[in-house]
């Protein structure tokens, strides 16, 4: 009975620690987003986001290392692994990635010094190879998550596979510790997967709540997609995030052709209907294509899409599908007339010589203007006609 109570207390404590870490991190994220004027303050807050998980992991290790029960110590490791995974997914800072890499290596070396026998047998060498494999796998997954933001891709299978591999990699490192059995190792590997799932699910809940609170402020009143304010914020955040990283991402600007003529000929009700239909259909198309994309109305008949994690070779097909989707829109007026719409598109790819978000925006805007000048219903990609 005492063991059950102790295990229950350990599990509850672990969940409270996980919830607290997520809450603290979200508070810091909110402060970072609100700090616009002070570069120094923003830098300190970003450093704080990197330092907090490291401090939390050390404190948990010190706290659980005193546990008399082996399950308590192993649960401490499980919580530390889940915290490391959470911050690898969300911090996106090289310092934390390298710190986690070093942590994996240090844990292996510590276990070798403490638990590896002076006269090893084949089983001991097997544990050593497993631990080394765990270090290499941990480093690989850390850099995979950092480089490709794998959790932003809508794939639950990939999500679960990465979680399982991350848990397995750390417990492979810890397998050198001969004070616990293979059963303990397997049980805690499963516990780590559960803890990681909980901490990332909590993050999702927090994010959804935050999105619902800001939706009314950031949504365009007519189309219910992101408005100009939401676009400027998301655009700047994206630029800051990838400014020093090797990632391809795109600003796609599109404009309804001859929109003034539609308003003048058929009335503003038809014009508003065109804006709403375009917003709805393009949004659905982006979702169906499983793209990491954000869609905004930035003024009048002008829209913008932020596209990340897109292979450049797939871009023409994506743009063509968006044009086809818009081309299928058919609006019927009160006089039973059919109104079709088309769009012109300008696409700018982020380049390392883009020293500000404004430079990238101006390029995309100039390409949109060139597409309209080129006869409308066309696409200009980086100064070249892509589709007509």
């Amino acid at each position: 009975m005492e063991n059950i109570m102790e295990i229950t207390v350990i599990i509850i404590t672990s969940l409270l620690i996980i919830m607290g870490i997520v809450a603290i991190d979200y508070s810091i994220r909110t402060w970072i987003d609100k700090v616009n004027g002070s570069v120094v303050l923003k830098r300190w807050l970003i450093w704080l986001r990197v330092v907090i998980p490291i401090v939390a992991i050390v404190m948990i290790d010190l706290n659980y290392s005193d546990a008399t029960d082996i399950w308590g110590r192993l649960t401490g490791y499980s919580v530390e692994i889940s915290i490391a995974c959470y911050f690898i997914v969300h911090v996106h800072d090289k310092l934390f990635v390298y710190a986690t890499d070093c942590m994996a290596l240090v844990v292996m070396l510590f276990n070798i010094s403490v638990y590896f026998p002076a006269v090893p047998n084949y089983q001991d060498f097997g544990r050593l190879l497993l631990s080394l494999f765990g270090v290499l796998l941990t480093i690989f997954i850390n850099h995979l998550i950092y480089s490709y933001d794998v959790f932003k891709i809508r794939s639950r299978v990939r999500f679960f596979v990465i979680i399982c591999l991350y848990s397995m990699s750390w417990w492979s490192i810890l397998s050198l510790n001969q004070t616990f059995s293979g059963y303990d190792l397997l049980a805690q590997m499963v516990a780590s997967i559960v803890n990681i799932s909980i901490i990332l699910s909590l993050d999702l809940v927090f994010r959804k709540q935050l999105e619902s609170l800001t939706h009314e402020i950031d949504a365009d009143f007519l189309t219910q997609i992101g408005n100009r304010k939401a676009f400027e914020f998301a655009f700047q955040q994206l630029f800051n995030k990838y400014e020093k990283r090797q990632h391809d991402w795109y600003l796609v600007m599109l404009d309804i052709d001859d929109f003034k003529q539609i308003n003048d000929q058929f009335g503003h009700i038809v014009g508003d209907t065109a804006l709403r239909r375009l917003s709805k259909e393009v949004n659905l198309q982006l979702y169906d294509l499983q793209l990491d994309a954000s869609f905004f109305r930035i003024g009048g008949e002008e829209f913008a899409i932020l596209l990340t994690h897109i292979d450049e070779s797939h871009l023409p097909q994506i743009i063509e599908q968006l044009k086809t989707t818009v081309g299928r829109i058919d609006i019927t007026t009160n006089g039973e007339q059919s109104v079709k719409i088309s769009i012109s598109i300008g696409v700018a790819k982020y380049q390392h010589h883009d020293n500000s978000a404004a430079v990238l925006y101006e390029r995309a805007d100039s390409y949109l203007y060139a597409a309209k000048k080129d006869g409308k219903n066309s696409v200009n990609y980086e100064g070249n006609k892509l589709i007509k």
Side-chain angles (χ1 to χ4, degrees), residues 81 85 89 141 145 151 156-169 189 192-198 200:
I81 291 168
C85 184
V89 170
I141 294 173
I145 294 172
F151 289 102
R156 293 189 179 185
V157 174
R158 182 182 294 181
F159 182 89
F160 187 69
V161 168
I162 294 292
I163 286 175
C164 291
L165 286 175
Y166 198 80
S167 175
M168 186 179 76
S169 68
M189 195 179 295
S192 296
I193 293 169
V194 172
N195 282 336
I196 294 170
S197 301
I198 288 171
L200 292 175

Side-chain angles (χ1 to χ4, degrees), residues 5-217:
M5 287 296 295
E6 185 176 353
I7 290 171
T8 303
V9 169
I10 288 170
I11 291 171
I12 292 172
T13 304
S14 302
L15 290 174
L16 289 174
I17 290 170
I18 288 171
M19 291 172 67
I21 289 292
V22 176
I24 291 170
D25 185 57
Y26 254 86
S27 298
I28 295 174
R29 270 199 252 181
T30 304
W31 294 339
I32 291 172
D33 291 341
K34 287 182 177 178
V35 173
N36 294 318
S38 175
V39 176
V40 175
L41 179 57
K42 181 170 279 193
R43 190 181 298 124
W44 274 105
L45 288 171
I46 291 170
W47 271 88
L48 190 60
R49 277 197 81 195
V50 174
V51 170
I52 279 178
I54 297 172
V55 172
I57 288 170
V58 171
M59 289 180 66
I60 290 166
D61 192 68
L62 292 173
N63 184 55
Y64 279 99
S65 62
D66 295 334
T68 54
D69 187 77
I70 185 67
W71 187 266
R73 293 200 297 275
L74 295 181
T75 302
Y77 296 150
S78 178
V79 175
E80 291 168 23
I81 291 168
S82 65
I83 291 171
C85 184
Y86 171 82
F87 280 95
I88 283 290
V89 170
H90 289 294
V91 170
H92 299 299
D93 188 280
K94 275 189 179 179
L95 175 62
F96 186 72
V97 173
Y98 291 142
T100 311
D101 293 345
C102 291
M103 201 184 304
L105 189 60
V106 167
V107 169
M108 187 189 78
L109 294 174
F110 174 80
N111 283 337
I112 289 173
S113 65
V114 175
Y115 300 108
F116 200 69
V119 185
N121 55 34
Y122 289 112
Q123 188 176 4
D124 296 323
F125 278 116
R127 284 176 178 257
L128 181 62
L129 287 173
L130 184 62
S131 184
L132 180 60
F133 168 76
V135 170
L136 295 175
L137 185 59
T138 300
I139 292 172
F140 172 74
I141 294 173
N142 285 345
H143 289 267
L144 178 70
I145 294 172
Y146 171 77
S147 299
Y148 296 102
D149 290 349
V150 291
F151 289 102
K152 291 185 81 77
I153 308 301
R154 297 185 183 96
S155 172
R156 293 189 179 185
V157 174
R158 182 182 294 181
F159 182 89
F160 187 69
V161 168
I162 294 292
I163 286 175
C164 291
L165 286 175
Y166 198 80
S167 175
M168 186 179 76
S169 68
W170 274 102
W171 287 104
S172 297
I173 298 170
L174 294 167
S175 65
L176 272 172
N177 187 331
Q178 298 183 21
T179 61
F180 54 85
S181 65
Y183 167 78
D184 293 327
L185 183 72
L186 184 61
Q188 286 298 332
M189 195 179 295
V190 173
S192 296
I193 293 169
V194 172
N195 282 336
I196 294 170
S197 301
I198 288 171
I199 198 167
L200 292 175
S201 297
L202 276 171
D203 172 75
L204 183 62
V205 170
F206 275 41
R207 195 170 347 123
K208 291 293 183 186
Q209 289 294 323
L210 193 61
E211 285 174 0
S212 65
L213 288 172
T214 57
H215 178 73
E216 289 185 9
I217 299 172

